[in-house]
Amino acid sequence: MSPRVGVILPAAGRSARFGGSGPKKPFALLGGKAVWLHAAERFLERPEVVAVTVVIAPEDREFFLEKFGGQLAMKGVSVAIGGAERSDSVKSGLATLLAEADFVAIHDAARPCVDSSTIDRTFQAAFSTGAAIAAVPSTSTLKRANRTGRDQPQTIATTLPRDDVWLAQTPQVFRRDWYEEALNRYGHERVTDDAQWLERLGKPVALVRGSDLNLKITTQDDLILAEAIVQKVQAREKRRAFHPFKDDLGNEL
């Protein structure tokens, strides 16, 4: 039997860089549908996914349930209330997952453009190795800056080799027992992605080729760009469904 996956969509951040006077970025509309719902639907349609939970901030609870309560019930999505730190939020999400979930997939609620191929590759790598994340190799020249005063422009300290540098994305998929152990032992340490807890536990985490289209919405400009990407991804998914034995580029599988 195929491993079963519980999906957690963190959406409890402050969205400080998103700006505007409207809702936070996971709740903003993208093509007439909330950003978080685009992300959730990419996983709800998969047979190996047994549960999807969205984690929201306490102050968003009333708004979220009033705005999206019908969709939550119709699609079977659970809601968890986040805490002060990321570890508090994902622990809250974990508590809602069914016991039969063998793996945990963490996917940013603000990444609505993930495609099926990226999810396929990440799931399969995690099932084989125990832990895997979507990522893309860096194509940019990397500079480390000198620390300067607040009103002074930063200057280059050194140029870093980019040969082995990857830019982390989500989904990030882990054996549930590994992830829970990592959280229990290292959850008090601040991280910028969940794979860092697994790294500190000493578990190897596979890097899986993600997609340059797997945009994380951070600013209002990103939302405009995501409108075009979502249309492209949806068109690609339709072609993929029509040709079940071909990949996204039309190659035979």
Side-chain angles (χ1 to χ4, degrees), residues 18-75:
F18 188 59
S21 58
K24 294 179 179 179
K25 60 188 179 184
F27 315 140
L29 290 182
L30 177 63
K33 183 187 302 182
V35 167
W36 76 267
L37 190 54
H38 280 279
E41 287 179 347
R42 307 309 299 149
F43 295 92
L44 286 166
E45 61 194 28
R46 303 187 64 89
E48 65 269 65
V49 170
V50 295
V52 174
T53 293
V54 59
V55 184
I56 60 174
E59 64 269 22
D60 294 327
R61 180 173 185 167
E62 183 177 353
F63 160 81
F64 189 80
L65 293 178
E66 180 179 342
K67 181 75 173 178
F68 303 113
Q71 292 163 314
L72 292 166
M74 182 173 63
K75 295 181 179 295

Side-chain angles (χ1 to χ4, degrees), residues 11 19 54 90 98 100 115 123 130 136 189 205 207 253:
V54 59
V90 292
L98 300 175
E100 59 262 32
D115 63 6
F123 275 19
V136 293
E189 299 181 12
V205 181
L207 289 165
L253 297 176

